[in-house]
Amino acid sequence: MSFWEILKFAVKGVSANKLRSALTMLGILIGVAAVILLVAVGNGSAQAITSQISALGTNTITVMSTNRGGTTNTSLTTEIADALKDPTLAPDVKSVSPVVSASGTLTYDGTDHEISQFIGTGTSYLGAQSYRMDRGVAFTDADVAQGRRVTVIGQTVAEELFEGVDPVGKQVTVGGALFTVVGVLAEKSSSGVQDSNDLAIAPLTAVQQTLAGYGSLSSIVVEATAADRVTAAQNEIATILDQRLKVEDGGTAPYRIQNASQLLETQTETADTFTVLLGAVAGISLLVGGIGITNIMLVTVTERTREIGIRKALGAPRRVILTQFLAEATILSLTGGGLGVLIAVLGARFEIVGVQPVIVPSSVVLALGVSVAIGLFFGGYPASRAASLRPIDALRYE
Amino acid sequence: MTTAVMNRMTETKPALEVQQVRKVYGEGEATVHALAGVSLTVDRGDYVAIMGSSGSGKSTLMNILGCLDIPSTGRYLLDGVDVSRLSDKQLALVRNRLIGFIFQSFNLIPRTTALANVELPLAYAGVKPAERRKRALASLDMVGLADRAGHEPNQLSGGQQQRVAVARALVTEPALLLADEPTGNLDSRSTEDVLKIFDDLNAQNRTIVLITHEAEVGARAKRLIRLFDGQVRSDERNKR
């Protein structure tokens, strides 16, 4: 009997009991699809976090004051910011942007918008924070030097204030001062709760004149020359600051330095934990799915022991019976597993609990491999046992 | 002299020969001797009915004759070949080519058409699909069920199912036809149909051995063997 004919027998065997075959395949399908999707969700969220953080700019260092109103004045000033621009003491610093931050209400043509951040800074800030222009242009060094009242606004502000109107060239009022919009920032993915598109950026001098006053800076954003120079740049800054602010050895510094790669590390760790957790859940569902497959395969073959007896009594060689049942198990596991992969791939196109899943190829191989292996073993083993019985024992089997 | 040799040549190979066969089930206290030393010889073209009460060992004997079971001790020669020396593969071949077995409970493969059921032994014998179909249809025609070829077992009556089983047993044209209470589950009309087929087959010189507990079925055979407690109690030829 040729293999092709045995295969036809197997197809007949599978289609002879449609409900049972469908349920077996469903069990395998769910097991495979669940594993692939869960791992994809974990992977997707990890990738989302990484891309958000790299959007923040991994080369940037933020210096913030922790001044609690002590005896000496230790607040950050533009002089300190200028001091950081020192090619000898701080060779790893590419740019320094002093930042003042204010809040206020922007008004245009009778429309109000409460803005979460109105930032006054230098021109290097946009590059350091990886902002790109969508429309118009950024303000220039000349604008900063002369304190011109120009501003670039984020996407959220553009949508809220200028519905259907090109904002470039329009004038907005904030805190009684008029600012001319010269550009709109490209959309940026938000990290965390704050909307990174709900902001306006203007020259430092203009904001100090109109909104923030000439007091201390909110922070200083420093850009390192390269991602691997961040730590070096951070140390150089700390040295300069300690000198300037007269921090004694061992004393607490009145400032805090944060860099994005630290943030990246923490967040990546969180994401990894998440992936491991989901992987564990996926592993358990694969185990449960595997037990389900084991169960239904055992029952299916045991139930057909009598049929195996009949086939043996009619002169079927052991090899033919075994091949038929193995082929049936293969058809069921491969079809079920294949459909599971298909459904997982389709499901991964949609957002699941706010995460865009990204399929990990090895999870597909693992889920499919394990299910098919379990299906084959527990379909093949009892069949092999039944085929080795004497026909009369198989026939009497209840 | 030569004729004597010729006679011996043809006579020395009976269809089947059973020598001192015993079959023991269980161990120790619970030992049951289903067969306690049975010897018998069936010649080619014979039509033997085996009768006996429940527990007399007739089914056990039948299973051994059909190579579905093996004896605990003793020898079973089928067509002059000692079956106990055959490998698993050779036994499959023997069951497929030499023996047609008919069960009391029909034992058709469920959810499979009558035609496919009858084709099955031919498939295992390696016959090509077209040829298989032709022979299976011819066999079904012989039992008068050619028009039911596409029906599944649960769409057939008991008598029809048994006739399908007979067609399946006949399709490989085995020399030996074994039937374990073939009419046990049938009404009188179906019984008559099946027995008529057996008569016709025997007329074509097929060897038939059947088990029955119905006296009228036993009376149709040429030879009647009675079993009692795993031993042959009587062995006589029916007068025709």
Side-chain angles (χ1 to χ4, degrees):
Chain A
M1 218 177 153
S2 72
F3 179 74
W4 192 240
E5 278 206 70
I6 301 174
L7 205 63
K8 276 203 272 183
F9 267 36
V11 171
K12 272 186 207 161
V14 168
S15 57
N17 203 324
K18 293 193 178 61
L19 182 67
R20 188 176 58 199
S21 303
L23 284 175
T24 313
M25 285 195 262
L26 188 69
I28 300 173
L29 184 156
I30 290 173
V32 170
V35 171
I36 297 175
L37 268 185
L38 280 173
V39 174
V41 167
N43 185 39
S45 64
Q47 288 200 1
I49 289 171
T50 316
S51 72
Q52 273 169 12
I53 289 170
S54 61
L56 279 180
T58 42
N59 296 4
T60 56
I61 300 159
T62 309
V63 183
M64 277 174 289
S65 173
T66 51
N67 184 19
R68 287 183 204 88
T71 46
T72 50
N73 188 4
T74 54
S75 55
L76 300 170
T77 59
T78 21
E79 286 73 48
I80 294 176
D82 289 339
L84 295 178
K85 271 185 261 179
D86 191 327
T88 30
L89 285 175
D92 291 309
V93 171
K94 187 179 164 195
S95 74
V96 177
S97 319
V99 174
V100 289
S101 178
S103 59
T105 308
L106 262 68
T107 317
Y108 169 72
D109 200 16
T111 319
D112 282 359
H113 176 65
E114 182 84 32
I115 198 165
S116 57
Q117 270 187 304
F118 196 94
I119 293 169
T121 184
T123 47
S124 53
Y125 181 79
L126 293 178
Q129 296 285 49
S130 4
Y131 277 110
R132 282 175 296 107
M133 299 305 295
D134 183 33
R135 273 169 288 168
V137 290
F139 51 84
T140 59
D141 285 328
D143 291 334
V144 178
Q146 296 172 25
R148 283 202 195 112
R149 294 185 188 169
V150 289
T151 179
V152 290
I153 56 175
Q155 282 289 338
T156 310
V157 183
E159 280 160 26
E160 292 285 328
L161 277 183
F162 301 95
E163 213 187 323
V165 183
D166 185 4
V168 177
K170 300 288 183 302
Q171 289 198 316
V172 292
T173 322
V174 52
L178 271 177
F179 276 84
T180 308
V181 178
V182 291
V184 180
L185 298 169
E187 178 126 19
K188 198 179 171 190
S189 65
S190 297
S191 58
V193 278
Q194 208 176 31
D195 182 359
S196 0
N197 299 302
D198 187 14
L199 85 170
I201 305 172
L204 175 73
T205 41
V207 177
Q208 282 178 328
Q209 270 173 36
T210 54
L211 296 166
Y214 291 92
S216 58
L217 299 171
S218 316
S219 60
I220 301 172
V221 172
V222 178
E223 194 181 359
T225 48
D228 55 348
R229 302 308 299 163
V230 169
T231 324
Q234 195 170 334
N235 292 336
E236 291 156 14
I237 293 165
T239 317
I240 297 171
L241 286 174
D242 285 351
Q243 222 169 49
R244 281 263 159 182
L245 300 171
K246 299 177 182 66
V247 178
E248 291 155 28
D249 269 351
T252 15
Y255 58 88
R256 192 153 51 102
I257 301 179
Q258 241 182 11
N259 72 50
S261 57
Q262 279 172 350
L263 203 61
L264 184 72
E265 246 165 56
T266 329
Q267 299 252 34
T268 310
E269 264 172 41
T270 318
D272 282 348
T273 317
F274 193 50
T275 311
V276 167
L277 191 73
L278 280 177
V281 173
I284 292 170
S285 54
L286 191 62
L287 183 73
V288 173
I291 293 171
I293 300 168
T294 309
N295 192 17
I296 198 140
M297 281 295 180
L298 279 177
V299 168
T300 304
V301 177
T302 313
E303 194 187 272
R304 292 172 68 186
T305 303
R306 208 177 133 80
E307 184 190 321
I308 292 175
I310 299 174
R311 289 179 184 273
K312 283 209 85 174
L314 295 178
R318 196 182 117 84
R319 181 186 60 85
V320 171
I321 292 179
L322 204 58
T323 315
Q324 181 191 337
F325 276 79
L326 271 180
E328 284 189 25
T330 313
I331 292 171
L332 290 177
S333 340
L334 272 186
T335 317
L339 286 176
V341 171
L342 192 73
I343 284 182
V345 168
L346 286 180
R349 301 174 75 125
F350 301 100
E351 274 200 358
I352 297 168
V353 289
V355 175
Q356 182 64 48
V358 178
I359 286 179
V360 186
S362 61
S363 77
V364 175
V365 176
L366 183 79
L368 198 62
V370 168
S371 312
V372 170
I374 291 175
L376 279 186
F377 181 76
F378 288 99
Y381 170 68
S384 137
R385 218 178 40 186
S388 321
L389 287 176
R390 261 177 243 148
I392 196 66
D393 294 328
L395 277 171
R396 283 206 190 110
Y397 194 89
E398 288 300 332
Chain B
M1 187 69 179
T2 35
T3 44
V5 172
M6 287 288 283
N7 275 343
R8 276 186 72 180
M9 286 283 283
T10 46
E11 279 168 16
T12 43
K13 265 193 172 182
L16 60 89
E17 192 173 357
V18 174
Q19 296 168 353
Q20 281 300 314
V21 160
R22 288 169 191 276
K23 181 74 187 176
V24 184
Y25 292 109
E27 282 173 10
E29 294 272 309
T31 306
V32 176
H33 292 265
L35 289 177
V38 171
S39 299
L40 62 91
T41 305
V42 177
D43 294 322
R44 288 169 189 284
D46 211 348
Y47 186 177
V48 184
I50 299 173
M51 293 188 73
S53 59
S54 175
S56 59
K58 54 189 194 304
S59 276
T60 305
L61 178 62
M62 201 56 150
N63 292 332
I64 290 172
L65 294 184
C67 295
L68 304 181
D69 206 349
I70 51 165
S72 303
T73 57
R75 259 156 56 99
Y76 170 38
L77 302 173
L78 181 68
D79 222 6
V81 178
D82 189 347
V83 170
S84 62
R85 295 195 181 168
L86 297 181
S87 70
D88 197 58
K89 205 171 170 180
Q90 288 170 314
L91 271 177
L93 211 63
V94 165
R95 287 193 283 261
N96 187 249
R97 305 286 165 85
L98 302 184
I99 301 169
F101 206 103
I102 300 160
F103 301 88
Q104 180 177 5
S105 49
F106 322 139
N107 276 348
L108 298 178
I109 309 265
R111 292 178 289 271
T112 306
T113 61
L115 185 68
N117 259 292
V118 176
E119 274 187 21
L120 205 53
L122 292 177
Y124 290 136
V127 179
K128 293 269 175 296
E131 167 79 5
R132 215 155 73 190
R133 200 180 151 78
K134 206 179 82 192
R135 280 172 68 178
L137 277 172
S139 191
L140 276 172
D141 191 42
M142 199 160 86
V143 296
L145 281 177
D147 55 330
R148 295 279 192 277
H151 287 56
E152 290 180 4
N154 57 3
Q155 298 168 317
L156 297 170
S157 72
Q160 288 170 334
Q161 287 187 51
Q162 192 59 298
R163 275 148 68 195
V164 172
V166 172
R168 186 177 66 182
L170 293 176
V171 77
T172 53
E173 296 181 351
L176 178 61
L177 199 64
L178 301 173
D180 187 353
E181 300 210 37
T183 60
N185 285 343
L186 302 183
D187 59 68
S188 57
R189 242 197 76 217
S190 301
T191 300
E192 185 51 40
D193 286 344
V194 170
L195 289 180
K196 177 77 174 57
I197 296 168
F198 285 172
D199 286 347
D200 292 347
L201 287 170
N202 186 238
Q204 294 163 29
N205 216 26
R206 298 278 174 85
T207 316
I208 299 174
V209 179
L210 62 78
I211 288 181
T212 185
H213 56 262
E214 294 162 78
E216 62 266 41
V217 176
R220 294 279 282 260
K222 288 180 183 167
R223 180 179 167 194
L224 184 64
I225 296 173
R226 284 178 194 279
L227 284 185
F228 185 76
D229 281 351
Q231 285 179 311
V232 178
R233 168 182 271 192
S234 71
D235 185 351
E236 56 205 27
R237 297 229 151 248
N238 283 330
K239 288 178 187 112
R240 284 244 161 167

